[in-house]
Amino acid sequence: MGHRHGEGRARPRRARPASRCRRSQAAAMALSGVRVLELAGLAPAPLCGMILADFGARVVRVDRLPHAGAPTDVQGRGKRSLALDLKRPQGAAALRRLCRGADVLIEPFRHVQKVVCHSFGEVKQEKKLEKTRKNPKVSFPLGVMEKLGLGPEVLLQENPGLIYARLTGFGQTGKYAKTAGHDINYLALSGVLSKLGRKDENPYAPINLLADFAGGGVMCAMGIVIALYERSTSGRGQIIDASMVEGVAYLSSFLWKSENMGIWSRPRGENLLDSGAPFYEIYRTSDGKFMAVGAIEPQFYNQFIKGLGLDSKELPDQLSISDWPEMKKKFASIFAQKTQAEWYSIFDGTDACVTPVLSLNDVALNQHNKQRSSFIKNDQGEISPRPAPVLSRTPAVPSCNRDPFVGEHTEEILLEYGFTKQEIAKLHSDKVIGFSKPKANL
């Protein structure tokens, strides 16, 4: 016998935005107890760190000096900040010491052509590593971290259980390992960009979600969790080479696996799922908003046609490709006659696979999203997505505190990792570390 509404459903109550921010529940989270050091970088690495923090890891963002103060990482949820000058020998030594007590290091630096050394010690270390690099038995490339004496061969020797995650666009090896790039470049080299875009138009690069965040941040987080799981058996850490090119290509495996199915047999923009079909398209409404249509299967397509007020018997066959352009025009003219709210009312509750295209301002107000508490508010009133997926027994409990200021937790973190107050005072007086205390709101 089914439950009546509200019976036996304590979990959805816990999912409300206000209650999902209780960090007191952190002990019950899946990654509770995992210590992560995230070297401050651009968007993909911060997302990786935020995912781990959302699911319970204690993530320390290692920020650069002298940029102490306002946060630049908009994905700093649940993290703490330590401001450290890695270009100084004392700063590199401090990070090396921190890594002895960490489980994960997230490193976002590509191999640059030239790194300026700031001390004799670094020059000496560079010569030593250059000699090591020529040894064919050693496969570690010479990069920023190696030149600071913080390469994986050093840190893993001191902490064999460390997961050393290297997240870059082109990966640690290959022709482009030292080359600068952005999401659009990684997407292009992966082959995926060639599939994106409308008919008779150039390939279209969407917002930098695919390569940077999905192929980079998410794939790297998955690699870290996989490595942590393997370590539970072997007791050994390892190096993760997370390339955004390879990450987004792997994410898009369906494109390769479906080549022989005929789904992509026509030119870009003329296929079933790339804006070629009139029943898999976005249409403008009379109030300038949009509706998304995904009525692929015949039973869904029939409901879609019915919602439009048309008779399927008077229309060409759904899969008559030659008729698709005219059908698009017909559907577009019909959608343009009503507002988004009116179309939403017509298709709501049906299996026509027609939904409103919601703005970021509206998405948290949608009834379905509200019922699932899919979006949360932090203590500044800012709305963001709830961590996904939802685990039944050890769900993520994201912090609702504001993102940390650069250097806000420097002293607290160093004490936690075994530094004495005297050592911290010396590092501060030498301007190797930075503090930044937020001002109280009076």
Side-chain angles (χ1 to χ4, degrees), residues 104-108 163-167 220 224 238-241:
V104 178
L105 175 68
I106 302 173
E107 184 248 299
I163 308 298
Y164 196 118
R166 315 193 84 165
L167 175 55
C220 187
I224 289 169
Q238 57 185 305
I239 304 162
I240 297 171
D241 180 359

Side-chain angles (χ1 to χ4, degrees), residues 232-244:
S232 67
T233 302
S234 69
R236 299 172 59 195
Q238 57 185 305
I239 304 162
I240 297 171
D241 180 359
S243 155
M244 294 177 214

Side-chain angles (χ1 to χ4, degrees), residues 31 59-60 63 77 88 94 191 214 222 255 291 334 340 342 345 365 370 377 403 430:
L31 297 180
V59 179
V60 171
D63 286 301
R77 184 169 67 201
R88 303 276 297 279
M222 182 180 73
L255 295 178
M291 297 295 289
I334 295 174
Q340 184 190 69
E342 289 173 322
S345 177
L365 302 176
K370 286 172 67 175
K377 269 186 183 180
D403 291 353
D430 290 342

Side-chain angles (χ1 to χ4, degrees), residues 396-414:
V397 185
S399 170
C400 271
N401 297 329
R402 57 158 176 77
D403 291 353
F405 287 104
V406 173
E408 182 175 346
H409 308 95
T410 297
E411 182 176 16
E412 167 188 320
I413 292 165
L414 291 175

Side-chain angles (χ1 to χ4, degrees), residues 248-270:
V248 72
Y250 185 43
L251 182 77
S252 308
S253 294
F254 175 75
L255 295 178
W256 280 266
K257 298 290 186 180
S258 62
E259 281 253 283
N260 296 329
M261 295 174 62
I263 297 178
W264 314 108
S265 59
R266 298 179 64 81
R268 181 179 59 251
E270 296 182 22

Side-chain angles (χ1 to χ4, degrees), residues 354-374:
V354 180
T355 50
V357 177
L358 300 176
S359 70
L360 296 187
N361 293 328
D362 296 333
V363 69
L365 302 176
N366 176 265
Q367 186 179 12
H368 174 80
N369 293 335
K370 286 172 67 175
Q371 289 171 348
R372 287 184 55 82
S373 299
S374 299

